[in-house]
């Protein structure tokens, strides 16, 4: 039972990333369906020439709500299709390309059945295998169920000092031993902050709770204690210092003890509670998977269409900027092919001068790669968007230094207002035109996070800034129409820091910085305003972003920020901040926290998945009763605008804190999935899922990828290929976007994959 605000009153609801030419790769083609009569029918299941169907039974009878998986390597890329059985154990795998498939059953309470080789056009009875033990059954549970076995310190243990074990080294700012927190005197203020660290700090690159993390790799060697084994595993590979740094946020020894206890209990036979099998509409899902990228890829978001026009790029390729490879991974879902387009530099001599995101040394040998340097990543493309001309825009490094027009002393009005630090290096923007094979590069002034197009005259591309500058959060933009007309990077871009009208005079003037005390006569820079998720309101064109991701002290509770650039930015940029309800005496017991993703529906309602408290939250600014500027409007001033919907899932032992991790969320404005318009959908990053919330019914629909385990997704988007084709003509696109793809079921050698989610009328619909 959770407290939420709806319509101004507190109620409680229980919810059951110069021109270079690359040859174009693709043309848009509509797939040709297999128009044949049913070839066979049994138990109410009939199949066409491109289907496989039948009934799943076990020793207990028909098996309802289990997955049937068909996989083939006969096509140009590995292809899988996954469906769920109905109440009578019946299934139908539709629209299978002609190939030889291995078909098997996976489900909770079962172990995988032996794969049967089959071809489309056949009725295929399958025998499910009841798990011989609870431990055997649990091997198929999502990672968040296993992660829920971690023991959290009770609320009474906070605030918790994280003391150093080597004061002299700490004072020298030397963290080489890894035996203390990165900052002397660190304090974890609350259990909520601990949870933020446990999720965001530990799951920013990969799942926790999957087999690769809950079990100690045998290749690491033998150790005198589980804690020493964990200490060694966290030193592995290029990002060992990063992992050790994340651990040290808990206190080095305390963090080791927590994780060692977790994995030790699992090794001793402890298992999590069983997840529920798919129910109701969850059984109508059809999931299609295609491998793409390499076994070292790190895809950061995929894009299928212009998000303002979901019919764009119909039946066209899916693009995934690959940070590890410095390329765009491309899937053609019609031809079942994948390919790769290298992202170029304007001057290839710059490559050796550019900073790599990943350390180019190995702290300790990896149990997977030994001393190999897996990531050589100076380009780091990410965060794609598609424009109205079908061009793919994304972030990537374009140069090793900062353009002069970004710096102090420039005549650029934005640099005069807020110059970039002289030693900073921006992450530029590129576009790729599939029709010509050309790249264009735009040198920008800021490092970047997610991007979003506004539906305005200038076709403005907004982007967030994760790390901020000079301790402050910033939003930046490229007016793509101006770029196309002038090819002048300086004239095409602008940026504004997040500054609140603190003195309430209706404009932005002199301001105090986050590390300065507020002054009622001045405006105020927003602390913790580093932006991640970003969205544009279709109602009034305002820009919203989820903030606080770069700071553990501001991530709880986090905030969403509204910004309007106005007619003459930067002078007219106005900012408002709103925090989810947290530690408010008027709302006892309500702790909603950790904003990361954001989306806006066609009514202007903002939706954000709270990655810490595992609520899906809506915020309606129209409901705010008090002033939206001035010294009282600094975050917790509009509780009446919020509504909280607890997302179902397992909880950490002995707490009411859910163990799933939400990387982002998205709003399906145009019914691309088939659940209706304005449906918010959460990335269940820790639970192998996308989790949709149907506002009309106030119910969640979990769309789980059961194979391969460890579906770590950071984003999604929907496309309508053919509005007249029913469920077959629409669907959501996402991908496995884990940084360490060798953690995915199958291990080293596994590649990333694209997933297409479709909802049909019933489990047997063709």
């Amino acid at each position: 039972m959770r407290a939420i605000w709806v319509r101004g009153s507190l109620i409680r609801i229980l919810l059951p990333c110069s021109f270079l030419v690359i040859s174009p790769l693709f043309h848009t083609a509509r797939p040709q369906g297999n128009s044949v009569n049913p070839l066979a029918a049994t138990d109410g299941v009939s199949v066409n020439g491109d289907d496989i169907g039948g009934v799943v039974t076990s020793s207990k009878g028909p098996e309802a709500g289990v997955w049937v998986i068909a996989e083939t390597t006969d096509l140009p890329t590995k292809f899988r299709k996954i469906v769920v059985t109905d109440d009578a154990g019946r299934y139908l795998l539709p629209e299978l390309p002609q190939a030889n498939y291995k078909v098997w059953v996976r489900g909770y309470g079962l172990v995988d059945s032996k794969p049967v080789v089959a071809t489309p056009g056949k009725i295929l009875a399958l025998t499910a295998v009841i798990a011989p033990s609870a431990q055997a059954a649990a091997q198929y549970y999502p990672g968040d169920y296993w992660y829920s076995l971690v023991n959290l310190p009770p609320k009474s243990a906070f605030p918790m000092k994280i003391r150093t074990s080597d004061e002299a080294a700490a004072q020298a700012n030397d963290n080489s031993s890894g035996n203390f927190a990165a900052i002397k005197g660190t304090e974890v203020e609350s259990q909520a902050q601990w949870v933020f660290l446990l999720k965001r700090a530990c799951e920013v690159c990969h799942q926790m709770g999957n087999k690769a993390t809950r079990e100690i790799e045998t290749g690491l060697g033998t150790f005198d204690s589980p804690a020493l084994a964990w200490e060694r595993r966290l030193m592995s590979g290029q990002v060992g210092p990063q992992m050790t740094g994340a651990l040290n946020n808990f206190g080095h020894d305390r963090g080791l003890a927590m994780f060692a206890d977790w994995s030790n209990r699992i090794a001793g036979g402890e298992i999590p509670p069983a997840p529920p099998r798919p129910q109701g509409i969850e059984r109508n899902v059809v999931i299609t998977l295609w491998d793409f990228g390499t076994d070292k890829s790190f895809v950061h978001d995929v894009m299928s269409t212009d998000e303002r026009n979901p019919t764009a790029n119909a039946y066209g390729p899916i693009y995934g900027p690959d940070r590890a490879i410095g390329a765009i991974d491309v899937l053609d879902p019609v031809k079942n092919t994948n390919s790769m387009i290298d992202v170029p530099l304007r001057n290839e001599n710059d490559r050796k001068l550019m900073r790599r995101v990943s350390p180019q040394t190995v702290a300790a040998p990896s149990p997977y790669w030994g001393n190999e340097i897996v990531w050589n990543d100076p380009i780091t493309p990410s965060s794609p968007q598609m424009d109205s001309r079908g061009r793919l825009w994304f972030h990537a490094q374009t140069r090793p230094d900062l353009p002069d027009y970004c710096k102090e002393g420039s005549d650029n009005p934005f640099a005069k207002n807020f110059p970039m630090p002289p030693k900073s290096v921006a992450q530029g923007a590129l576009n790729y035109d599939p029709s010509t094979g050309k790249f264009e590069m735009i040198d920008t002034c800021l490092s970047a996070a997610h991007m979003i197009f506004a539906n305005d005259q200038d076709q403005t591309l907004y982007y967030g800034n994760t790390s901020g500058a000079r301790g402050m959060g910033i939003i930046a933009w490229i007016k793509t129409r101006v770029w196309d007309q002038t090819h002048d990077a300086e004239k095409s871009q602008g940026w504004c820091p997040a500054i609140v009208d603190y003195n309430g005079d209706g404009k932005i003037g002199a301001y105090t910085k986050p590390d300065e005390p507020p002054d009622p006569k001045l405006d105020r820079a927003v602390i913790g305003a580093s932006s991640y998720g970003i969205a544009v309101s279709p109602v009034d064109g305002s820009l919203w972003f989820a903030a606080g991701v770069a700071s553990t002290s501001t991530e709880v509770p986090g905030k969403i920020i509204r910004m309007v650039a106005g007619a003459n930015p930067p002078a007219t940029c106005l900012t408002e901040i709103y925090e989810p309800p947290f530690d408010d005496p008027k709302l006892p017991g309500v702790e909603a926290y950790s904003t990361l993703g954001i989306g806006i529906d066609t009514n202007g309602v903002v939706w954000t998945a709270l990655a810490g408290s595992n609520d899906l939250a809506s915020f309606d600014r129209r409901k705010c009763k008090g002033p939206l500027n001035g010294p009282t409007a600094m975050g917790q001033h509009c509780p009446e605008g919020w509504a909280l919907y607890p997302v179902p899932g397992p909880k950490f032992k002995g707490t009411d804190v859910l163990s799933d991790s939400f990387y982002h969320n998205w709003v399906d404005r145009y019914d691309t999935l088939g659940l209706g318009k304005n449906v918010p959908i959460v990335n269940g990053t820790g639970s192998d899922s996308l989790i949709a919330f149907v506002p009309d019914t106030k119910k969640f629909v979990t769309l789980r990828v059961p194979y391969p385990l460890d579906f770590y997704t950071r984003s999604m988007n929907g496309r309508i290929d053919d509005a007249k084709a029913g469920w077959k003509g629409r669907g959501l696109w996402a991908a496995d976007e884990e940084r360490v793809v060798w953690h995915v079921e199958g291990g080293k050698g596994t590649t990333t994959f694209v997933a297409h989610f479709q909802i049909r009328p019933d489990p047997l619909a063709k």
Side-chain angles (χ1 to χ4, degrees):
M1 192 78 72
R2 295 296 301 273
I4 75 166
W5 278 91
V6 175
R7 297 177 182 170
S9 60
L10 181 66
I11 67 173
R12 293 184 179 270
I13 288 182
L14 181 64
L15 295 174
C17 356
S18 98
F19 298 78
L20 295 174
V21 179
I22 309 293
S23 59
L25 295 179
F26 297 101
H27 66 279
T28 300
R30 190 187 191 284
Q32 299 301 307
N34 192 342
S35 180
V36 296
N37 293 323
L39 298 180
T42 185
D43 295 313
V45 181
S46 64
V47 297
N48 292 338
D50 56 358
D51 307 326
I52 296 175
V55 180
V56 176
T57 58
S58 70
S59 58
K60 297 182 178 181
E63 289 287 347
V66 299
W67 293 282
V68 178
I69 304 165
E71 180 179 64
T72 184
T73 58
D74 290 353
L75 302 175
T77 189
K78 184 182 285 186
F79 176 95
R80 309 173 181 101
K81 186 153 287 190
I82 303 171
V83 297
V84 186
T85 59
D86 70 3
D87 290 345
R90 300 176 300 178
Y91 74 94
L92 188 131
L93 290 156
E95 295 196 303
L96 294 168
Q98 289 299 317
N100 294 302
Y101 290 87
K102 292 181 179 178
V103 185
W104 73 95
V105 180
R106 173 172 288 190
Y108 300 138
L110 309 176
V111 295
D112 281 0
S113 64
K114 183 178 179 180
V116 178
V117 176
T119 56
K122 302 291 177 61
I123 291 290
L124 181 66
L126 294 170
T127 301
V129 181
I130 301 297
S133 66
Q135 284 82 2
Q139 303 310 306
Y140 302 95
Y141 296 173
D144 64 325
Y145 277 78
W146 288 97
Y147 206 30
S148 73
L149 297 180
V150 170
N151 280 319
L152 303 187
K155 288 186 176 183
S156 60
F158 300 94
M160 182 185 293
K161 290 287 186 181
I162 307 300
R163 294 185 173 89
T164 172
S165 62
D166 187 337
E167 291 291 343
Q171 292 171 6
N173 197 28
D174 175 13
N175 194 29
S176 57
S177 68
N179 286 324
F180 44 83
I183 302 173
K184 182 185 177 184
T186 295
E187 180 176 275
V188 180
E189 297 177 357
S190 64
Q191 188 186 69
Q193 189 175 344
W194 186 280
V195 171
F196 163 73
L197 294 168
L198 198 62
K199 294 184 180 184
R200 179 62 180 170
C202 294
E203 293 193 273
V204 65
C205 292
H206 57 75
Q207 272 191 8
M208 290 293 289
N210 55 13
K211 189 174 179 66
T213 57
R214 68 180 184 257
E215 298 178 1
I216 298 294
E217 302 89 343
T218 57
L220 285 176
T222 57
F223 302 90
D224 291 340
S225 71
L228 291 176
W230 268 93
E231 186 173 51
R232 169 59 183 84
R233 95 182 307 189
L234 293 177
M235 294 169 59
S236 299
Q238 292 171 252
V239 295
Q242 178 182 337
M243 293 191 291
T244 300
L247 174 84
N248 290 343
N249 286 314
F250 304 105
H252 189 79
D253 293 339
R254 184 183 287 110
L256 287 177
M258 175 178 66
F259 287 116
D261 169 71
W262 173 55
S263 61
N264 202 42
R265 285 185 284 109
I266 290 172
E270 186 171 343
I271 60 173
R277 289 184 177 183
Q279 302 288 332
I281 200 169
E282 296 170 347
R283 296 182 180 178
N284 298 353
V285 69
V286 178
I287 305 172
T288 310
L289 309 178
W290 297 262
D291 278 10
F292 82 154
T294 75
D295 60 353
K296 300 176 182 178
S297 286
F298 173 22
V299 174
H300 202 299
D301 309 329
V302 294
M303 185 52 59
S304 68
T305 190
D306 179 348
E307 292 199 80
R308 302 161 298 177
N309 174 21
T311 62
N313 194 40
Y315 295 111
I318 312 301
Y319 300 98
D322 192 326
R323 290 175 61 92
I325 308 299
I328 303 171
D329 297 333
V330 186
L331 168 73
D332 185 332
V334 175
K335 297 179 180 178
N336 301 305
T337 59
N338 64 54
S339 58
M340 188 175 290
I341 308 169
D342 290 333
V343 176
L345 285 170
R346 184 184 297 110
N347 182 355
E348 276 296 326
N349 291 327
D350 284 345
R351 190 176 296 269
K352 61 181 178 293
L353 304 174
M354 296 173 73
R355 177 184 64 87
R356 272 59 178 167
V357 171
S358 303
Q360 296 300 288
T361 57
V362 170
S366 160
Y368 300 92
W369 300 100
N371 288 311
E372 181 178 348
I373 299 297
V374 176
W375 302 305
N376 183 346
D377 46 8
I379 307 295
T380 60
S382 65
S383 305
Q385 285 289 316
M386 190 174 289
D387 68 13
S388 59
R389 294 167 53 180
R391 295 177 299 184
L392 187 76
W393 291 75
F394 57 96
H395 278 301
Q397 292 295 113
T398 57
R399 56 189 290 165
D401 57 356
L402 190 69
D404 288 340
Y405 50 75
C406 308
K407 303 176 184 176
E408 190 170 5
S410 166
D411 290 334
N412 186 316
F414 297 99
K416 285 182 176 181
N417 179 62
F418 194 85
M420 293 299 107
K423 294 184 180 180
S424 65
V425 177
Q427 192 171 25
L430 292 85
N431 69 59
Y432 170 73
D433 190 339
S435 68
T436 65
K438 292 180 179 180
F439 282 92
E440 294 181 333
M441 303 176 189
I442 302 96
D443 295 334
T444 61
C445 295
L446 280 72
S447 62
H450 288 267
M451 311 170 81
I452 193 73
F453 271 106
N455 200 13
D456 60 4
Q457 180 180 1
D458 286 321
Q459 298 287 288
T460 305
L461 180 63
Y462 288 101
Y463 59 94
N465 178 260
T466 305
S467 57
R470 296 171 21 216
M472 295 168 58
I474 315 171
I475 284 293
W477 59 84
I478 300 169
K479 294 185 176 182
T480 64
R481 180 187 63 84
V482 176
W483 167 257
D484 288 336
Q485 291 176 349
T486 67
H487 283 84
D488 186 320
E490 181 179 1
K491 290 182 179 178
S492 305
Q493 67 181 290
W495 62 92
C496 278
I499 300 172
V500 170
D501 178 19
Y502 191 77
N503 60 16
D505 64 0
K507 58 185 179 180
I508 297 299
Y511 58 89
T512 57
K513 299 176 182 179
D515 60 350
E516 298 172 337
D519 185 329
K521 297 180 181 179
L522 302 177
D523 293 323
R524 179 74 174 159
V526 182
I527 186 172
S530 54
S531 52
Y532 202 71
I534 186 169
V536 174
S537 172
V539 174
D540 61 10
S542 57
L543 180 72
W544 292 76
F545 59 94
V549 66
S551 172
T552 58
S553 63
T554 58
E555 186 61 28
V556 177
K559 54 180 64 70
I560 59 174
I561 296 180
R562 180 181 188 264
M563 184 178 285
V564 176
N568 186 34
T572 55
C573 289
L574 292 174
T575 300
E576 299 169 4
I577 59 175
Y578 302 94
E579 296 176 347
F582 186 88
D583 201 21
D584 185 336
K586 297 178 182 179
L587 303 174
V590 178
E591 293 186 349
Y593 60 98
S594 193
T595 52
L596 191 60
I598 200 165
I600 306 178
D601 66 27
T602 59
N603 300 311
V605 176
V606 178
W607 294 85
T608 180
L610 303 179
S613 58
N614 282 63
D615 296 295
L616 176 63
S618 69
F619 179 77
D620 191 340
R621 181 175 175 266
R622 298 169 297 184
K623 296 180 179 179
C624 295
K625 297 177 180 178
L628 303 182
N629 61 359
T632 63
M634 295 302 292
Q636 291 283 327
H637 57 288
C638 183
E640 63 271 16
W642 292 89
L644 305 176
Y645 304 95
V647 181
K651 298 177 180 179
F652 286 110
K653 290 190 65 174
T655 76
D656 60 357
V657 180
L658 274 75
S659 57
D660 200 354
S661 177
F662 304 154
Y663 197 94
H664 216 286
N665 62 274
W666 180 78
V667 175
D668 186 4
R669 297 177 181 172
Y670 308 110
D671 193 21
T672 61
L673 178 58
L675 293 176
K677 296 181 179 180
N678 291 325
V679 171
I681 306 174
V682 177
N683 292 89
T685 309
S687 59
D688 301 339
S689 66
L690 301 181
I691 307 168
F693 178 71
V694 183
D696 290 345
T697 64
K698 301 294 188 293
K699 291 184 178 180
F700 286 92
V701 177
T702 299
L703 307 177
R704 189 102 62 194
V705 176
Y707 171 81
L709 289 169
D710 193 355
F711 178 60
Y712 182 106
T713 181
R714 300 172 187 264
S715 65
M716 74 193 86
N717 49 90
R719 188 171 75 187
I720 299 174
D721 294 314
D722 185 350
K724 298 180 180 180
W727 71 269
K728 293 183 180 181
R730 61 186 64 223
L732 291 189
W733 295 90
D736 186 278
E737 294 159 341
E738 188 149 37
R739 186 175 185 184
V740 285
V741 67
W742 44 92
H743 280 196
V744 176
E745 181 180 0
K748 185 178 178 181
T750 299
T751 73
T752 190
F753 57 87
V754 174
H756 191 209
F757 295 81
Q758 297 173 288
I759 298 289
R760 51 187 174 177
D762 62 75
L764 300 181
K766 301 176 183 178

